[in-house]
Amino acid sequence: MNHGSDPDNSSFDHKSKKESLSIDLLSDLPTELLSQLKKTGLLSLKDIVIEGPFELSAKSGISMDDCNFIYNQAIAYLEDVGIMEKRFTPATTIYDKRKKIGRISTGSKNFDKLLGGGLETGAITEVYGEFGSGKTQLCHTASVIVQLNRNQGGLDGGALYIDTENTFRPERIETISRARRQNPSQTLDNIIVARAYSSSHQELILSESRRIIEAQNIKLLILDSAISLYRSEYLGLSALSLRQQRMNKLVHSIMRIAQTHQIAVLLANQVQSSPETGFGNTSFKAAGGNIFAHSSTYRIFLRKSNRNRIARMVDSPNHPESEIVFSIDESGITDPQKI
Ligand code: GTP
Ligand code: MG
């Protein structure tokens, strides 16, 4: 991409386009395509990358070939400015970058250890488990802790909480923040809640979330839960393939949001009974079939164990399968008390 040859490089206009990563930076694009693109409301290069060429073509009416070109140009720009990994990158560079990756503490040292330090930015962490296993408590606790500074386990940012089950409770946020000596009203101010009423409403919220993420300095995106609405709407075998298709689109768009905005994503997921019980196995599987298995970066199974809870790392590109004990108290997720 020809960024260097812009004669207007030092102008304020160019600077603001660069800062907002405006699609105007696609200087090789014919003006009529650019204006057709603007009509879709996708004004930033990040938007283009999150949508992907297929959606771009469907939304704008621009040909698939042109959309592939636009998409690749947008990726190249994000590579240039360091938001996305360069196409051919030495593993050492990737390793150095990973060491500096942002993480959000869960509130439990044990749980953080299981995750290699906490919820990772640029990745999807999926927690699944039975009712009362602690998924919603983890979502509440993380949306409080993300607001702390890096030395305290946070990322100095806000949380965007997409609530599909009507289980977000500001009172719980108040208790958790009080117990953690954070200011409850400030903490509540930094959590943006979106209640989703249907799967298409949830998709609309997600597509609009990009503006909020930038404007409110969001560092944690929560979906509690990610697919319950799909499960309740698409019933029966005949609807299964359409449901999987839509969920597949959903998780890929979430992954692109996590990566282009460098935020952590926490997905709560339901369980379904599995016939494959046996030694070391559980009788539950995450809902949603293979869709999440392939898209979540980390998958964690939560279960009750007397007064405590157990978290098991089930799938990770860089952690062994192992489990830890945590508990829930007024401060949210925490470590079990030593007796
Ligand atoms: P579903 O959404 O129903 O599938 O369950 P979930 O996994 O989201 O459960 P959730 O995280 O809501 O956990 C609920 C459990 O957390 C309750 O059964 C309590 O055991 C515990 N809990 C919730 N609030 C408090 C609290 O203020 N203090 C303590 N000690 N425990 C709490
Ligand atoms: Mg819940």
Side-chain angles (χ1 to χ4, degrees), residues 12-81:
F12 173 77
D13 189 37
H14 186 80
K15 200 172 159 217
S16 80
K17 279 178 192 165
K18 259 183 133 169
E19 275 166 8
S20 62
L21 292 169
S22 156
I23 57 169
D24 288 322
L25 293 163
L26 298 172
S27 48
D28 297 341
L29 211 61
T31 19
E32 52 290 7
L33 277 190
L34 196 60
S35 52
Q36 212 173 333
L37 203 55
K38 282 184 178 170
K39 284 188 199 142
T40 60
L42 303 169
L43 301 178
S44 131
L45 297 177
K46 287 184 182 176
D47 290 342
I48 304 282
V49 172
I50 290 170
E51 287 294 331
F54 199 79
E55 279 296 299
L56 205 58
S57 175
K59 279 193 176 160
S60 63
I62 299 173
S63 75
M64 232 4 246
D65 274 356
D66 283 339
C67 283
N68 279 327
F69 173 77
I70 294 168
Y71 175 77
N72 286 331
Q73 294 274 293
I75 293 250
Y77 205 98
L78 296 191
E79 285 175 4
D80 272 5
V81 296

Side-chain angles (χ1 to χ4, degrees), residues 129-137 165 172 309 328-330:
E130 261 194 299
F131 67 93
S133 57
K135 304 180 293 292
T136 298
Q137 295 307 311
E165 299 185 336
R172 187 66 180 120
R309 302 285 189 283
I328 303 171
D329 70 10
E330 61 168 8

Side-chain angles (χ1 to χ4, degrees), residues 182-209:
Q182 287 173 244
N183 179 317
S185 58
Q186 256 177 29
T187 307
L188 284 162
D189 277 349
N190 290 324
I191 303 173
I192 309 293
V193 184
R195 171 94 172 88
Y197 298 100
S198 67
S199 61
S200 36
H201 188 216
Q202 182 177 328
E203 286 162 17
L204 180 71
I205 288 172
L206 260 180
S207 71
E208 288 174 350
S209 70

Side-chain angles (χ1 to χ4, degrees), residues 102-107 119-121 138-161 173 176 180 182 186-187 190-192 216-222 262-266:
R103 289 176 189 280
I104 304 160
S105 168
T106 57
L119 301 166
E120 192 176 301
T121 50
L138 176 64
C139 295
H140 279 70
T141 313
S143 50
V144 172
I145 295 183
V146 64
Q147 302 184 31
L148 295 170
N149 66 38
R150 283 174 188 259
N151 296 333
Q152 296 170 307
L155 290 176
D156 272 319
L160 174 57
Y161 200 119
I173 297 293
I176 296 172
R180 292 181 175 276
Q182 287 173 244
Q186 256 177 29
T187 307
N190 290 324
I191 303 173
I192 309 293
Q216 306 279 336
N217 186 30
I218 299 293
K219 297 287 184 206
L220 172 66
L221 170 64
I222 289 169
Q262 276 305 305
I263 61 171
V265 176
L266 176 58

